[in-house]
Amino acid sequence: MMVQHVFLVGAKSLGAYGGYETFINKLTEYHASNDRIKYHVACKANGDGCMDPYQTEGAEILSETEFEYHNAHCFRIRIPEKIGPAQAIYYDVKALEECIRIIKVQKIVHPIVYIMACRIGPFAGHFYKAIHKLGGEVYLNPDGHEWMRAKWSAPIRKYWKISEQMMIKYCDLAICDSVNIERYIHECYDGKGIHGRDPKTTFIAYGAETRKSQLTDEAPKLMSWYAEKGLKADNYYLVVGRFVPENNYEVMIREFMKSKSQKDFAIITNVNDKFLAELEEKIHFKKDPRIKFVGTVYDQELLMKIRENAYAYFHGHEVGGTNPSLLEALGSTKLNLLLNVGFNREVAEDAALYWSKEPGDLAALIERADQMTGEQRAEYEAKAKQRIREAYSWEYIAGRYSETFLKR
């Protein structure tokens, strides 16, 4: 029986605080006993988001640069720390060079190299040809519209757009985590592939879980966190995610301040002092004791419990595909209030309530949510969990990837 070798490039580690990291962690976990697929995973050896195998339970150290985890072969890439935003590009390039080296040394037949995000467009043609020369194929997860993110300057946005176009051109299959992203790829890039071909695509979303947290309602870890942050179960609205403009934190906070809700608004994010100062200058959130920036939570069981115990969850993302934090909220939280954009409606359908960025719209929805009965919230919770089970469970998503990788 032939084993399909799959190289995963683009995530910082397995299981860190991020979409691709969570995806790779779950994919390798669910495929750990799959004897038809062997994963090779690039991990950062240093810098932001790196993975320390010596501190990772279940990791088997092979050498200073290699370890096994979830039955996947993981190799560590060290990056220079003083090259700023270019780190991500450097990391992907070095990881792909190492993939090619491993393929040659191990004489791997028909490998698949699966690249996550469109960071290295100028190098895409080179690596596509090198991998094809070895009998392999290049798969791509194009992520969301990176070139639309407000945090980038105009020249960098232009780079992202050009990079996206080049990486779509030089891939054998684009695996899109959203139907909207797949549609966008064809609208923009049909006829622009190699020899004028249309890009080949398929849709496979991220996954989520619907199980309950292993922590009880009285767990000391949870009680300590609540006491430290001044929160009570079922008495706070919640948001979890990166503090970036396109996630609309300013809108959510401003609207919450307008509302008459007696509950708190807990914000779990990696915000820094500069962002907080800018936000305070704009909307003066510090005068409202309900607004609570509570830092980050990396303990997954604790985070799951915090979601479960929230009165409701806000989701303001408007750029990107299927967002992991939205799936996790639908799998855990009773009531979800989502920004009304195509990506979010595609995922949640009728299992959530929707708001726009029009002044007053979200504030009114918050007050409506405050008046909902326990039975009404339970109905939304049941719909959300059913939606995750049917279309976004990790078991289902891992199965779709297995089919895709083994098709060739």
Side-chain angles (χ1 to χ4, degrees), residues 75-321:
F75 53 96
R76 306 173 73 198
I77 304 295
R78 183 162 290 277
I79 57 173
E81 304 214 9
K82 295 182 180 179
I83 56 174
Q87 273 195 13
I89 296 170
Y90 178 95
Y91 172 56
D92 284 0
V93 167
K94 289 300 176 183
L96 286 167
E97 288 176 352
E98 182 63 10
C99 290
I100 289 169
R101 190 193 70 79
I102 293 168
I103 292 166
K104 288 178 177 176
V105 169
Q106 297 187 14
K107 297 182 171 58
I108 293 170
V109 179
H110 304 309
I112 292 171
V113 178
Y114 185 22
I115 305 171
M116 277 146 276
C118 297
R119 288 183 283 258
I120 57 163
F123 306 93
H126 163 75
F127 284 113
Y128 177 87
K129 290 167 188 170
I131 290 163
H132 270 244
K133 193 174 180 181
L134 295 169
E137 288 189 342
V138 176
Y139 290 8
L140 173 72
N141 187 307
D143 199 10
H145 304 313
E146 188 67 35
W147 54 274
M148 288 175 63
R149 296 190 190 277
K151 68 178 180 178
W152 301 122
S153 64
I156 293 177
R157 285 190 203 179
K158 187 174 182 181
Y159 170 84
W160 280 120
K161 183 62 175 169
I162 293 169
S163 184
E164 176 184 270
Q165 180 177 347
M166 295 173 78
M167 293 197 73
I168 294 294
K169 177 176 181 177
Y170 290 108
C171 79
D172 298 290
L173 177 68
I175 301 177
C176 306
D177 62 50
S178 156
V179 172
N180 280 274
I181 290 290
E182 185 174 25
R183 186 181 302 122
Y184 157 80
I185 294 296
H186 286 290
E187 286 172 356
C188 288
Y189 301 120
D190 274 2
K192 296 179 181 177
I194 296 172
H195 304 306
R197 291 197 297 261
D198 294 347
K200 185 179 176 184
T201 65
T202 191
F203 162 62
I204 309 177
Y206 283 119
E209 296 179 300
T210 56
R211 69 172 178 84
K212 292 285 188 183
S213 168
Q214 295 171 8
L215 297 180
T216 66
D217 286 334
E218 293 79 32
K221 186 186 294 186
L222 178 68
M223 292 295 98
S224 173
W225 191 84
Y226 279 154
E228 181 188 337
K229 307 303 180 185
L231 297 169
K232 294 179 182 176
D234 210 40
N235 199 49
Y236 57 91
Y237 286 77
L238 178 69
V239 66
V240 180
R242 289 184 303 148
F243 196 86
V244 291
E246 60 270 16
N247 291 352
N248 288 296
Y249 282 90
E250 183 181 334
V251 175
M252 292 185 286
I253 295 168
R254 192 191 298 273
E255 291 292 310
F256 196 91
M257 291 171 68
K258 283 183 189 175
S259 80
K260 298 183 178 68
S261 180
Q262 298 299 304
K263 296 176 173 56
D264 290 315
F265 180 13
I267 303 162
I268 296 179
T269 187
N270 59 341
V271 69
N272 61 39
D273 291 339
K274 180 175 177 286
F275 285 141
L276 280 181
E278 290 172 359
L279 191 65
E280 172 63 15
E281 191 174 328
K282 283 183 183 176
I283 60 178
H284 309 293
F285 70 88
K286 288 182 180 177
K287 70 182 181 184
D288 191 331
R290 299 172 300 169
I291 309 299
K292 299 182 184 222
F293 282 88
V294 295
T296 52
V297 178
Y298 293 104
D299 182 320
Q300 294 303 302
E301 293 301 321
L302 176 59
L303 185 58
M304 186 181 285
K305 194 66 181 176
I306 293 167
R307 281 194 173 102
E308 287 172 19
N309 286 355
Y311 183 83
Y313 185 87
F314 292 128
H315 188 74
H317 292 49
E318 64 177 321
V319 174

Side-chain angles (χ1 to χ4, degrees), residues 10-53:
K12 297 173 183 176
S13 67
L14 294 87
Y17 204 51
Y20 284 137
E21 288 76 18
T22 301
F23 160 67
I24 288 180
N25 190 43
K26 289 297 180 183
L27 183 67
T28 55
E29 177 188 334
Y30 276 80
H31 284 172
S33 58
N34 187 332
D35 55 8
R36 297 285 311 281
I37 301 174
K38 178 63 179 180
Y39 288 106
H40 304 262
V41 184
C43 297
K44 281 180 74 175
N46 62 312
D48 178 52
C50 69
M51 183 174 184
D52 183 355

Side-chain angles (χ1 to χ4, degrees), residues 368-385:
R368 177 184 156 198
D370 268 359
Q371 300 305 312
M372 291 177 73
T373 65
E375 289 76 16
Q376 289 172 316
R377 287 166 66 221
E379 284 179 21
Y380 276 101
E381 180 183 17
K383 281 183 184 178
K385 282 183 164 56

